[in-house]
Amino acid sequence: MRCRLAVLAALMLAPALPVVGGHALAQAPRPAAPAPAATPAPAPAAAAVAEEDPVLARIEGQPLKLSDVLATAEEVLPPELRAMPGPALLQMLPPEVKRQLIERAITERTLINAARAIGLDRDPDIARRVRRAEEQELQQALLSREVQGRVTDAAIRARYDRDNANPQGEEEVRARHILVPTETEARQILAELQRGGDFATLARSKSQDPGSRDGGDLGFFKKGDMVPEFANAAFALQPGQLAPAPVQSPFGWHIIKVEERRRASARPFDEVKQQIREAMLQEEVTGVVQRIRAAARVERLDQPPVPPANSLLNQAAPPPPAQSTPTQPRRR
């Protein structure tokens, strides 16, 4: 379609030459010609196409169309403008904005032409990156097509109503913690706290958690927000209480103090609507990826074959567990 439009535009804009016997007379001087006949109007279909996608400039003789200009401006235009028909958008834009968009497209086209002129489009590394960009666009287009229409306003509202069915709200606690790598160090810090040490001060000086600069304050959280070991210990405490013993989690050893407890009231729907939408879209995308991956025939060549059940290889000792990097105990 793009090539057809370019040909139509070139034909419509090309100067008319007198033709005799099938040859254009462009050189020899000739007597004054009679009044030229009226140029026939372009076919209705061609005129409609040209009107929808007019040529706005020419670079090295090649047309730059409205569709080309809008394509280069796609990332700077808000979504509501991108959805408008090209001619209507062009009329609505202020003259200075229109001029800047056309200048931007001209600059891009001249750079592309210069790159092709020196053969960069044939460079193997650049060709590989172009293919990778195409592959990523295809993935995004597929996922968008698969999940389109599934996350509706009605579905988002239903999720909100389901998650906020409890009128009393879900219980939350606000807690502080100190994270260290060994039980011995954790018990020493706990003993210091029991003798009257300040929790926030010790958290800043001893804790290996990234939030230690806040005195180990984790803010309010629900039970499901944390790994079970930490959550069970925290929700067993009352405000002002320290956990009687250090708590081990995959992240290390925690000394826990609960500051407050409360029932979380439901946030207004309009306040969380976008957050719910994003979570539902992520769930839909994950489901699509898993379904397509499960249906694909995949042969892994980087792994050794599984040995028979009675093989002596099965008796090998398992590898040691990987060391966890200290972090907050929130689920990821």
Side-chain angles (χ1 to χ4, degrees):
M1 176 63 74
R2 183 180 293 275
C3 293
R4 180 166 174 264
L5 292 178
V7 171
L8 287 172
L11 290 173
M12 293 172 64
L13 295 176
L17 292 176
V19 176
V20 176
H23 299 280
L25 300 180
Q27 297 180 6
R30 54 191 187 276
T39 304
V49 168
E51 184 178 349
E52 291 176 4
D53 197 13
V55 175
L56 302 180
R58 289 184 181 277
I59 300 97
E60 306 292 345
Q62 296 300 314
L64 181 78
K65 300 186 177 183
L66 173 60
S67 58
D68 301 322
V69 173
L70 296 181
T72 62
E74 195 171 63
E75 66 272 17
V76 299
L77 290 175
E80 59 272 18
L81 293 184
R82 291 181 221 157
M84 293 181 61
L89 174 60
L90 200 64
Q91 291 180 1
M92 191 196 72
L93 292 175
E96 180 59 23
V97 173
K98 173 184 171 181
R99 187 192 67 79
Q100 289 179 5
L101 291 180
I102 296 174
E103 289 295 328
R104 174 193 175 110
I106 291 173
T107 300
E108 287 197 10
R109 180 68 64 84
T110 57
L111 292 174
I112 293 168
N113 289 347
R116 285 178 173 153
I118 62 175
L120 287 181
D121 54 330
R122 300 186 295 276
D123 181 276
D125 184 58
I126 294 175
R128 176 187 59 79
R129 300 204 310 258
V130 169
R131 286 195 303 272
R132 181 56 183 159
E134 179 186 13
E135 292 167 353
Q136 290 175 331
E137 284 294 327
L138 286 172
Q139 292 178 64
Q140 292 298 321
L142 173 65
L143 293 174
S144 296
R145 179 176 178 176
E146 289 287 329
V147 305
Q148 186 176 14
R150 296 188 185 181
V151 182
T152 62
D153 288 345
I156 296 170
R157 183 74 207 200
R159 171 70 70 88
Y160 174 83
D161 292 340
R162 186 199 72 187
D163 291 347
N164 295 280
N166 182 2
Q168 294 184 346
E170 190 174 353
E171 189 174 21
E172 295 180 328
V173 300
R174 174 174 162 248
R176 297 180 185 269
H177 82 136
I178 298 172
L179 175 66
V180 291
T182 67
E183 182 181 11
T184 299
E185 188 175 358
R187 289 192 176 278
Q188 291 172 349
I189 296 172
L190 179 60
E192 189 171 349
L193 289 169
Q194 291 169 339
R195 291 194 298 268
D198 181 70
F199 198 104
T201 300
L202 286 172
R204 293 188 186 97
S205 62
K206 304 285 188 181
S207 181
Q208 297 187 6
D209 179 78
S212 60
R213 60 183 177 274
D214 298 323
D217 193 349
L218 296 171
F220 280 98
F221 56 87
K222 298 178 176 64
K223 198 168 187 178
D225 292 340
M226 301 295 184
V227 293
E229 302 90 342
F230 188 96
N232 291 336
F235 277 81
L237 302 174
Q238 295 301 316
Q241 284 186 328
L242 277 170
V247 176
Q248 187 180 21
S249 83
F251 304 103
W253 290 84
H254 307 265
I255 301 98
I256 303 172
K257 179 182 180 182
V258 166
E259 299 284 5
E260 300 177 66
R261 298 179 75 107
R262 71 181 185 187
R263 289 277 180 182
S265 58
R267 293 167 65 188
F269 175 70
D270 290 340
E271 185 178 321
V272 297
K273 179 179 179 179
Q274 185 60 31
Q275 180 181 338
I276 298 173
R277 182 191 300 277
E278 291 172 1
M280 292 178 69
L281 284 172
Q282 184 60 50
E283 291 170 7
E284 291 289 344
V285 167
T286 300
V288 169
V289 171
Q290 291 174 345
R291 172 173 57 79
I292 293 176
R293 174 66 188 267
R297 185 167 174 254
V298 179
E299 182 182 3
R300 291 290 297 267
L301 304 178
D302 62 329
Q303 298 177 344
V306 178
N310 59 355
S311 171
L312 291 177
L313 294 175
N314 290 330
Q315 309 303 318
Q323 296 295 319
S324 299
T325 303
T327 184
Q328 291 188 4
R330 296 186 185 276
R331 291 189 187 276
R332 299 294 181 195

